[in-house]
């Protein structure tokens, strides 16, 4: 079984709809991340969480919210989807080793392809 | 200016060629540096971490220049299977990626 899973894998929705993307991990990592990927722009950080009680905004958090329900689960919500949120969304995890200021290897889920019409 | 910048390419090289990618970053306090590989429509996967003294893993060599704030990746003896997008990562910030195609 995959260590980092994302559901759904593909989703088509309409403008204005609320949508939730879910991420689960079995790696036992404390840190979890949400990124979006657009052609030519690479991965951009939306939100990250260093433990269950910690939520931090990334580069492009406007229009998104997150919930860290447990160590293993980190969900991303689009409260009112708009077409420019059409993208490939990745969840990732990493462990803590080295201290808060050190970032370790991230392990990615397979991605969720979201289309907002 | 983006925090992490890469030449988007594409780089088209013949098998056996040596190819180098560079990546510049703006945050001088950064402490973690990586190269990831991403195949088409797949998730990124770690290729190698980049250490201050430079490091090598088979055909791949990574280097860090803190004074000039860039990291590099050198691929020797390119294989067809090296065709992918290579992503530079500084901390939690990703570059846009450099597309490499190795041709027979």
């Amino acid at each position: 079984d995959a260590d980092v899973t994302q559901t759904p894998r593909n989703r088509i929705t309409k403008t204005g709809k609320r949508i939730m993307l879910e991420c689960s991990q079995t790696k036992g990592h404390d840190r979890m991340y949400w990124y979006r990927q657009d052609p030519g722009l690479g991965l951009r950080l939306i939100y990250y969480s260093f433990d269950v009680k910690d939520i931090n905004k990334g580069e492009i958090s406007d229009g998104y919210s997150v919930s860290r329900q447990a160590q293993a689960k980190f969900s991303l919500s689009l409260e009112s989807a708009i077409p420019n949120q059409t993208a490939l969304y990745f969840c990732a995890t990493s462990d803590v080793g080295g201290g808060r200021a050190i970032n370790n290897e991230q392990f990615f889920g397979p991605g969720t392809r979201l289309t907002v019409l | 200016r983006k925090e992490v910048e890469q030449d988007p390419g594409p780089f088209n090289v013949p098998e056996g060629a040596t190819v180098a990618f560079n990546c510049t970053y703006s945050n001088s306090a950064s402490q973690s540096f990586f190269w990831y590989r991403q195949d088409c429509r797949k998730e990124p996967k770690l290729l190698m971490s980049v250490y201050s003294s430079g490091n090598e893993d088979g055909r791949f060599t990574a280097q860090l220049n803190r004074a000039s704030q860039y990291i590099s990746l050198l691929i020797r003896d390119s294989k067809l299977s090296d065709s992918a997008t290579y992503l530079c990562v500084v901390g939690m910030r990703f570059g846009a990626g450099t597309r490499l195609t190795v041709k027979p």
Side-chain angles (χ1 to χ4, degrees), chain A residues 9 33 35 37 40-45 48 50 57-59 88 90 101-111 113, chain B residues 2-3 8 29 31-34 36 38 41-47 49 85 87 89-97:
Chain A
R9 293 293 311 279
Y33 312 81
Y35 292 90
Q37 186 171 33
L41 294 178
L43 278 75
R44 292 182 291 166
L45 183 63
Y48 63 100
F50 279 4
K57 292 183 178 180
E59 304 169 67
L88 181 57
F90 286 107
I102 301 297
N103 300 103
N104 294 300
E105 175 187 0
Q106 294 186 42
F107 296 84
F108 285 81
R113 190 165 296 279
Chain B
K2 292 181 181 178
E3 284 200 32
Q31 298 188 47
S32 308
F33 307 89
F34 308 92
Y36 280 72
Q38 185 177 27
R41 301 182 187 279
K42 299 283 190 179
E43 70 272 23
K45 293 184 179 180
L46 181 71
L47 177 66
S49 301
T85 296
L87 302 166
V89 183
V90 178
M92 293 181 285
R93 301 301 173 100
F94 281 71

Side-chain angles (χ1 to χ4, degrees), chain A residues 9-70:
Chain A
R9 293 293 311 279
N10 290 281
R11 180 73 181 267
I12 299 174
T13 191
K14 294 183 179 180
T15 297
K17 294 291 187 182
R18 184 179 188 276
I19 185 166
M20 180 181 288
L21 308 183
E22 301 195 17
C23 177
S24 294
Q25 53 115 346
T26 58
K27 299 189 76 65
H29 289 167
D30 285 325
R31 298 182 175 186
M32 298 187 73
Y33 312 81
W34 276 105
Y35 292 90
R36 66 176 279 176
Q37 186 171 33
D38 300 274
L41 294 178
L43 278 75
R44 292 182 291 166
L45 183 63
I46 306 172
Y47 271 96
Y48 63 100
S49 169
F50 279 4
D51 63 43
V52 175
K53 298 179 181 179
D54 179 73
I55 299 290
N56 305 279
K57 292 183 178 180
E59 304 169 67
I60 52 162
S61 58
D62 288 349
Y64 301 94
S65 63
V66 291
S67 174
R68 184 80 185 267
Q69 302 95 320

